[in-house]
Amino acid sequence: MESDSDSDGSHISATPPRHTKPSLPPQPPPTNPKRQPAPNRKPPPPKPKPSILSSRTSRIRYRPSSKSKPISKPETPSSEPTRPDPPPDPSPLLLPNLPYQICRWPSDPSRAIPTVDSSDTLLAPQGRHLFQSPSFSKIRRTSIDFDSFQDDKPPLSSSAPKPDPTAAIGGSDSSAPNRVPPEPKREAAAAKSGVSAIAVKKRFNLIGGNVPSAPVKFRSSGAEGNFVKLNLNRGKRKFVNRRGNSSSSGRRKFYRKGKRKLKAVGENDGETIGEEDELVADAIAEQQIRKQDSKRPKFDSESFEEAVSMARNDPSDENLLKLLRLTYGYELFRDGQLEAIKMVLEGKSTMLVLPTGAGKSLCYQLPSLILPGVTLVVSPLIALMIDQLKQLPHMIRGGLICSNQRPEEASETIRLLQQGELKVLFVSPERFLNAEFLSIFSANIVVSLVVVDEAHCVSEWSHNFRPSYMRLRASFLRAKLNVNCILAMTATATATTLGSVMSALEIPPTNLIQKAILRDNLQLSVSLSGNRQSYHSGIPAKDRSRVQELFFTNKIRVVVATVAFGMGLDKRDIGAVIHYTLPESLEEYVQEIGRAGRDGRLSHCHLYCDDITYFKLRSLMYSDGVDEYTVNKFLCQVFTSDENSHGKVCSLVKETASRKFDMKEEVMLTLLTQLELGEVQYLHLLPELNVTCTLNFHNTSPALLAGKDALVAAILKKSETKQGQYVFDLPTVANSIGVTATVLSNHLQILKLKGEVTYELKDQAYCFTIVEAPADLCSLSAHLTKWLSEVESCKVRKLDAMFNAAVFAVNSCEKTKGCCDAQHTQCLQKKIVEYFDGDDNSEVPNTMGKSRSVFLQSNSQAKFTPRAVARIMHGIASPSYPSTSWSKTHFWGRYTSIDFQVVMDAARAELVNFVGKNAV
Ligand SMILES: Nc1ncnc2c1ncn2[C@@H]1O[C@H](COP(=O)(O)OP(=O)(O)OP(=O)(O)O)[C@@H](O)[C@H]1O
C-alpha cells in the first residue's frame, strides 16, 4: 500500500507543529476514527503540511544589478519557542524570518522528482498531515454604500459590517467540523490511490490524498462523483474506483479505449493533442464513465429526490440544510452560502464576495439541483472548468464545452443538454462569440441561472481583466440565453471593481453578499529578500502533472511554482505560501495566500519583497500601452478594409497586425471587443479563424473541378498559384460567393474526404463584420487611447499599492498591536481591508525616480516612437522590438527605476530634437 510513509522525511527538515490560532474556537475531536489517538497512547505530534513557494521568475528575468538599493536592513529571524528541533540536515536552505526552514532536495537521485518545467518547480518529499475543520471567521471589510450608485463609477463610502443573516443555521464562523465524517476506509484508500489532477487548478480533494472529500455519504454506495481521471503517468496511471482502490480492468479499459479513440481522431487529422486537449478528453471520458455508473444503485435516491422536491416546493432553511447534508455530507452551511442560495432560488441576480476557499461553488451547485433546466457556469480557464466539473457531486450531472474539444465531444455534450440531462454546463466566455453555440439555447433549453465565476474579470479595473468577459453583460445574457438570474462570484474585487461588475451584470446594490477578504487563520509576514534559493527552468511540461500528483498525494512537501500552479488550488492542508517575489496587486496577493490554511489551521504566508522586482514589474505594466497614433492606424485598417461593406467578413491576421502596429494581440482583441460592446456597436466579432488556405488538387484537374463546383471556381478566381499550389484567403473567397467561411471550410473538408484535394490552413485571424463605420476616426482613437491608458494606470497603481503595503510592513510598522519581527498580520490585514474598500482611481504614492536627466541617444537607423524608446529603456519587449535583438544593446532596461512616463517624455523631446536637426 502506498502511504505517506513512503516519503522519506530524512532528507528534509521537520516543519514545526502548526499551531491552531488561539483565537479560533476550540477544535472538535478528529472526524476520522483512524486518526484518533488510542486512549492510553500518547497522541502523535501534529504532522507538517506542504507549502507553496510562489514565484514570478518565469515571467521576469532578473538582471543582477549593482544599482539595487536595499529598502532597509533585513529583519532578524524570528524564533518560535514551540518549534521542535529539525532533524539533522546537512544543507538547509535558510529562508530568513520564517518560523521554519526548507531544506534541500535529497541527494539520492532516485528520489528526485523528474525535472519540472519553467512554470512549476518543486522540491522535497512529504510527511502526513492532520485534518482539521475549516475556520471561516474572517477579517471583515466594511460594506459598500451603493445608495448613490451610478452606472460606471459608484461613489464609495464605508458603513458598518453587516450582520450575518445565516447565523441561525450555523453559517457564521463555521469553524466546527460541519461535515459528516468520511468513511475511514475510503479515506485511507484515497490516500493510497493518490490519483491527482491537473496543471492549474483545484478541488483535488475528491481524488486521492488523505484529505476527506466532498460527497462522502453517497459515494460509499457506488458513485464516483464527477471527478476527472487524468492520465498523469500515461499508461501507468492507476484508476481509482469508488472505494479508492485501483479500478477493475473493465472500467479502466473503457476509459483507455475512450482516450485511444480520441487520440486516434486527432492523429488522423494531423493534429497534435496538447495537454489541455487531453484534459478535456479526460473529462469527456469521465462523463461517459459516469453515465455507466448512473445505472448502478448508488445511494438512497428516493430520500434524495424527496429532499430536492421539498426544497423546490419550500426552500426553507431546514429543507436546504437537509439537501446539503444529503448531497455533500456537510453538516452546516458556511457563512454567506445559505444567503446566496436563497437569493438565487428567488431568481435575484446576486454578487457574491466570499474569501478564497469559503465554498462559493456550492452556492450554484445546490440551486442547480432545485432549479429547472441548466445552470451555465462561465469560467476563465479550461483547467478551472475541468476542475469544477470533477468537483461536482455525482448527483449533479455536468458537462463542458470548450474550443479544445473534438466536434463529436461537443455534440455529445449538446445532445445531453438538449435531452435535459445536464444540470450544470461549464463554458468559457469566448463561447459567446460563437453564433452556433448561442443557437443551441434558442430552442427548448431552459437556462435558469448564469454563474460568472471569477467575476472580477468583467471589469477593466480589476487585476485580471479579460476582454472576452466584457461580453458578459446582463442585456446580452438576457437576449441570447433568455436568463434573468445571474450569480457573480469573486474573492478579490475592490469597491471600484465590484461597482463595474454589478453595473455590467445589472445586479442591484441590495443583492451584494460580501463577507470578508481574508480568513483569519493566515499569518502574514514580510521581509526584504536576502539570498534566495536559485530556481531553474527548462523542466518538461509532461512532468508538471507528476509534480502536482506528488504534491497532492503528499509525497512532496514543497513546490516552488509560478502563479499558474497556485491558481484556484484547493488543497486543504497547505501550511504556508511563500511569495518569492512581489505579487502584482493586493488582489493577487490575497488570491494566492488564499491557497494556504483552507482547513482552517494556522498557516504562514511570507512575502519577500525587493525593489528590483518592483521596478521590473512596474516596467512590465507598461507593456500593453499604445499611442493614439497607433490606435488610429489600427482603426483605419479595421474600417477601411475592402470587405467592410455590410455583412461581409473582415479579418485581421493576428501576427502580422501585431508586428505592424507594434501592439500585443490581447490589446488588439481588447480594442475590437470595445468596438463591439462600447456605447456604439461598430462591429460584430466572430470566432477566430485560420484564414490562409494552401490547396492541392489530386484527382481531377482544377479547371475541370471548377466547371462542376462553383466554390472551386471561386477559389481559383481568388487564388495565387505558388509552385502548383493554390493559396487564397478564406474570408475573401467566402465573401465573393456570399457564403460563410464555415460553409467554405466544410466544403473543402468534403472534397478532402473524396480524395480530390488536400489543404492546409494557417494565419490565425480576428474576424468580424462591420456594423457601422465611425464618423470620426480621430476622436474614436483618442477616446480608446484614453480608456486604455486609464486601465494601464490602474494596473500600475495596484502594483504600487502592493509594494507600499509590503514596504510599510518592513519599514514603518510600529510593531504594536500584534506585529513583531517579520510578522505583520495585523498591519497587512488593515492595509488590505483599506485597499479593497478604497477607490481604485485614487492616487497611490510611488518611489519611482522622477529625474529628468534621462540620457537618450538618437539612432538614425531605426524608426522610433517615444513609447518604443521608453519600452527599450525599461527592458520591455514588444512585437516590433523583440528582446532577442534589443536586449543585446546597452539601452535595454537601463532606466527601470525611472518612471516610465518620464522616460517617454524625455524620449519624445529627444526625438523632436533629432527630427529638427535632421530637417536643418
Ligand atoms: N458548507 C461547507 N462545509 C464544509 N466544507 C465546505 C462547505 N462548502 C464548501 N466546502 C468545501 O470548501 C472547499 C472550498 O470550496 P470552493 O472551491 O467552492 O471555494 P471557493 O470559494 O471557490 O475558493 P477559491 O476562490 O479559492 O476558488 C471545497 O473543498 C468544498 O468542498
Side-chain angles (χ1 to χ4, degrees):
M1 170 173 165
E2 266 180 56
S3 75
D4 296 331
S5 61
D6 279 356
S7 52
D8 183 347
S10 64
H11 298 277
I12 50 169
S13 65
T15 303
R18 300 199 46 226
H19 308 290
T20 305
K21 203 170 177 179
S23 61
L24 295 178
Q27 296 296 329
T31 53
N32 182 348
K34 272 203 159 182
R35 290 187 181 152
Q36 289 184 27
N40 53 359
R41 238 185 282 148
K42 232 178 136 190
K47 295 287 171 23
K49 287 184 164 194
S51 322
I52 297 179
L53 272 78
S54 174
S55 162
R56 283 176 160 70
T57 44
S58 72
R59 282 202 270 160
I60 301 161
R61 296 235 170 77
Y62 288 94
R63 308 179 62 213
S65 162
S66 54
K67 282 183 269 171
S68 108
K69 278 177 258 129
I71 302 163
S72 75
K73 281 184 195 168
E75 302 286 320
T76 48
S78 66
S79 62
E80 278 211 359
T82 51
R83 184 172 62 194
D85 290 339
D89 186 293
S91 55
L93 299 179
L94 295 177
L95 297 175
N97 306 320
L98 289 180
Y100 40 76
Q101 293 175 3
I102 295 164
C103 296
R104 279 189 205 285
W105 180 240
S107 50
D108 173 3
S110 65
R111 293 187 180 282
I113 305 298
T115 50
V116 181
D117 93 341
S118 59
S119 54
D120 303 312
T121 315
L122 80 158
L123 307 168
Q126 144 71 5
R128 271 178 89 119
H129 59 274
L130 292 178
F131 170 75
Q132 288 186 349
S133 66
S135 160
F136 284 91
S137 57
K138 302 152 220 141
I139 315 308
R140 278 177 188 277
R141 57 182 294 184
T142 50
S143 58
I144 306 168
D145 174 6
F146 280 93
D147 281 352
S148 44
F149 185 86
Q150 298 290 314
D151 250 11
D152 38 12
K153 283 181 191 164
L156 305 164
S157 67
S158 297
S159 63
K162 288 181 181 174
D164 178 13
T166 60
I169 203 145
S172 172
D173 293 348
S174 52
S175 52
N178 54 356
R179 56 183 305 129
V180 172
E183 264 191 25
K185 262 191 184 171
R186 191 175 321 108
E187 193 178 295
K192 173 187 169 187
S193 66
V195 177
S196 192
I198 49 178
V200 183
K201 183 159 171 170
K202 59 184 186 182
R203 291 141 190 161
F204 298 89
N205 58 333
L206 290 181
I207 30 173
N210 52 2
V211 184
S213 62
V216 180
K217 243 182 174 170
F218 304 115
R219 285 170 56 198
S220 62
S221 55
E224 279 196 33
N226 288 17
F227 41 97
V228 182
K229 305 294 189 289
L230 300 170
N231 192 8
L232 294 170
N233 12 347
R234 303 292 180 247
K236 291 180 206 145
R237 190 178 67 85
K238 277 190 185 169
F239 203 74
V240 185
N241 67 14
R242 63 186 176 275
R243 290 182 190 283
N245 301 321
S246 295
S247 76
S248 65
S249 57
R251 182 174 301 192
R252 184 165 46 223
K253 270 184 205 153
F254 178 87
Y255 170 75
R256 290 205 174 135
K257 199 171 146 201
K259 282 223 47 124
R260 268 204 303 273
K261 197 172 141 207
L262 292 164
K263 278 206 148 193
V265 173
E267 281 154 12
N268 282 345
D269 274 0
E271 294 170 13
T272 315
I273 297 182
E275 206 171 342
E276 269 187 346
D277 297 321
E278 290 200 8
L279 298 177
V280 176
D282 284 328
I284 300 302
E286 177 57 24
Q287 280 180 291
Q288 290 169 327
I289 292 163
R290 237 182 10 252
K291 197 174 144 199
Q292 283 205 334
D293 282 348
S294 66
K295 290 175 193 148
R296 302 178 188 181
K298 293 190 197 77
F299 64 101
D300 184 356
S301 57
E302 228 170 80
S303 331
F304 174 72
E305 291 302 333
E306 196 193 346
V308 172
S309 122
M310 281 168 68
R312 194 172 287 147
N313 294 335
D314 173 18
S316 62
D317 293 4
E318 194 192 334
N319 285 344
L320 291 171
L321 190 60
K322 188 171 175 197
L323 190 59
L324 173 85
R325 287 175 180 162
L326 284 175
T327 312
Y328 297 89
Y330 299 146
E331 278 301 299
L332 296 170
F333 283 108
R334 283 182 179 163
D335 198 10
Q337 285 183 329
L338 185 63
E339 201 183 339
I341 289 167
K342 289 176 89 168
M343 294 274 274
V344 164
L345 291 178
E346 284 172 35
K348 293 180 180 165
S349 288
T350 304
M351 179 81 232
L352 179 63
V353 188
L354 295 183
T356 53
K360 290 183 282 299
S361 321
L362 192 140
C363 301
Y364 69 78
Q365 290 174 4
L366 205 73
S368 76
L369 281 171
I370 300 168
L371 293 168
V374 69
T375 291
L376 201 68
V377 183
V378 188
S379 202
L381 293 174
I382 294 174
L384 294 191
M385 286 192 249
I386 292 171
D387 226 20
Q388 286 171 344
L389 177 65
K390 77 188 178 194
Q391 193 222 21
L392 288 178
H394 69 88
M395 52 287 272
I396 305 177
R397 190 157 191 190
L400 70 88
I401 297 185
C402 66
S403 52
N404 294 37
Q405 270 171 316
R406 311 282 317 152
E408 57 270 36
E409 296 161 8
S411 309
E412 173 61 6
T413 307
I414 291 165
R415 188 186 65 76
L416 292 172
L417 186 66
Q418 283 165 338
Q419 289 178 354
E421 290 193 33
L422 296 185
K423 290 308 292 177
V424 175
L425 180 69
F426 297 94
V427 293
S428 64
E430 285 78 9
R431 285 289 93 191
F432 292 98
L433 267 180
N434 190 313
E436 277 174 70
F437 168 75
L438 290 171
S439 70
I440 303 169
F441 297 95
S442 53
N444 294 338
I445 296 173
V446 176
V447 181
S448 293
L449 173 67
V450 168
V451 180
V452 182
D453 197 9
E454 310 293 352
H456 53 264
C457 299
V458 170
S459 166
E460 68 265 46
W461 312 118
S462 78
H463 61 293
N464 210 355
F465 167 58
R466 287 270 301 265
S468 50
Y469 260 75
M470 277 168 82
R471 191 159 280 100
L472 303 179
R473 306 204 163 199
S475 51
F476 178 88
L477 296 172
R478 257 199 313 270
K480 302 290 178 190
L481 304 173
N482 195 21
V483 67
N484 285 317
C485 187
I486 299 168
L487 172 64
M489 310 193 304
T490 181
T492 46
T494 61
T496 310
T497 300
L498 272 186
S500 75
V501 173
M502 291 171 73
S503 164
L505 298 175
E506 294 177 25
I507 299 173
T510 46
N511 296 5
L512 168 67
I513 301 173
Q514 189 177 24
K515 293 297 171 190
I517 301 165
L518 290 171
R519 281 175 275 122
D520 65 359
N521 64 326
L522 302 180
Q523 194 171 85
L524 312 182
S525 55
V526 56
S527 68
L528 298 175
S529 306
N531 282 335
R532 294 168 293 181
Q533 296 171 291
S534 65
Y535 159 65
H536 82 97
S537 59
I539 291 162
K542 67 180 162 58
D543 291 325
R544 265 188 288 179
S545 303
R546 175 98 185 119
V547 171
Q548 285 157 17
E549 184 186 2
L550 290 169
F551 186 60
F552 275 90
T553 51
N554 298 325
K555 304 266 171 27
I556 53 170
R557 284 176 57 197
V558 180
V559 175
V560 180
T562 60
V563 287
F565 182 81
M567 192 166 178
L569 205 78
D570 186 26
K571 181 166 163 57
R572 301 179 74 97
D573 61 344
I574 290 173
V577 171
I578 301 162
H579 274 95
Y580 189 70
T581 57
L582 198 70
E584 286 171 14
S585 63
L586 281 164
E587 288 99 313
E588 288 189 12
Y589 178 62
V590 167
Q591 176 69 23
E592 288 154 19
I593 60 175
R595 303 306 112 203
R598 289 163 84 91
D599 56 5
R601 295 172 67 198
L602 186 64
S603 301
H604 301 276
C605 305
H606 187 78
L607 165 66
Y608 282 112
C609 152
D610 67 287
D611 50 1
I612 293 286
T613 312
Y614 166 61
F615 292 147
K616 190 70 200 160
L617 285 172
R618 208 171 190 279
S619 295
L620 287 175
M621 296 290 154
Y622 290 97
S623 59
D624 288 353
V626 281
D627 297 313
E628 193 177 323
Y629 161 76
T630 322
V631 175
N632 193 287
K633 270 200 328 186
F634 177 80
L635 293 185
C636 283
Q637 167 128 5
V638 168
F639 290 106
T640 55
S641 136
D642 291 343
E643 307 292 351
N644 68 359
S645 61
H646 189 74
K648 295 206 168 166
V649 178
C650 310
S651 60
L652 204 60
V653 175
K654 288 160 75 169
E655 208 183 316
T656 321
S658 176
R659 264 202 315 274
K660 178 172 174 186
F661 302 113
D662 195 18
M663 206 187 272
K664 281 189 178 173
E665 289 178 9
E666 304 88 271
V667 180
M668 292 194 291
L669 180 62
T670 304
L671 282 172
L672 290 170
T673 313
Q674 184 66 7
L675 289 171
E676 181 184 21
L677 301 168
E679 278 163 33
V680 179
Q681 185 180 359
Y682 294 108
L683 51 80
H684 174 58
L685 265 179
L686 301 169
E688 291 171 22
L689 273 183
N690 280 314
V691 288
T692 308
C693 182
T694 307
L695 185 68
N696 292 294
F697 289 89
H698 294 294
N699 282 346
T700 317
S701 77
L704 209 59
L705 199 58
K708 295 189 255 175
D709 187 322
L711 289 185
V712 174
I715 289 171
L716 296 193
K717 222 170 166 184
K718 299 278 176 186
S719 293
E720 278 177 39
T721 40
K722 287 183 187 164
Q723 296 157 350
Q725 295 181 314
Y726 291 76
V727 182
F728 63 94
D729 180 69
L730 208 70
T732 307
V733 174
N735 286 337
S736 72
I737 42 175
V739 298
T740 63
T742 318
V743 168
L744 183 57
S745 50
N746 288 347
H747 193 77
L748 286 171
Q749 184 66 21
I750 292 166
L751 291 176
K752 183 180 167 186
L753 292 175
K754 286 183 182 166
E756 289 289 359
V757 299
T758 51
Y759 61 92
E760 257 178 36
L761 288 168
K762 61 172 187 180
D763 294 337
Q764 184 84 355
Y766 297 118
C767 296
F768 50 90
T769 52
I770 302 294
V771 175
E772 180 185 330
D776 181 355
L777 271 190
C778 290
S779 60
L780 183 60
S781 317
H783 171 75
L784 289 172
T785 313
K786 184 164 176 278
W787 175 67
L788 283 176
S789 111
E790 280 166 8
V791 172
E792 181 181 85
S793 308
C794 182
K795 275 164 60 184
V796 174
R797 285 197 297 271
K798 282 180 191 295
L799 177 68
D800 288 342
M802 177 71 243
F803 184 66
N804 289 356
V807 171
F808 174 86
V810 174
N811 280 345
S812 315
C813 172
E814 288 171 2
K815 300 197 175 155
T816 54
K817 298 181 190 162
C819 294
C820 67
D821 300 324
Q823 300 300 330
H824 289 286
T825 308
Q826 306 301 325
C827 74
L828 283 175
Q829 279 178 352
K830 187 164 174 283
K831 289 268 167 209
I832 289 167
V833 171
E834 279 169 11
Y835 170 79
F836 275 84
D837 277 343
D839 178 355
D840 282 356
N841 295 317
S842 56
E843 273 313 306
V844 178
N846 66 68
T847 55
M848 296 304 290
K850 297 275 188 278
S851 158
R852 295 256 155 200
S853 59
V854 175
F855 172 76
L856 296 166
Q857 198 182 350
S858 302
N859 180 339
S860 53
Q861 305 305 313
K863 280 188 181 167
F864 290 114
T865 61
R867 185 174 296 275
V869 174
R871 278 184 183 152
I872 291 165
M873 296 291 179
H874 267 256
I876 312 170
S878 69
S880 301
Y881 303 91
S883 68
T884 38
S885 39
W886 286 93
S887 64
K888 291 177 195 138
T889 70
H890 65 281
F891 299 112
W892 188 255
R894 190 165 166 175
Y895 290 125
T896 47
S897 59
I898 308 281
D899 189 77
F900 186 88
Q901 196 62 45
V902 171
V903 181
M904 202 155 86
D905 290 346
R908 185 172 294 112
E910 171 61 21
L911 288 170
V912 168
N913 187 23
F914 178 73
V915 172
K917 269 190 212 155
N918 276 8
V920 173

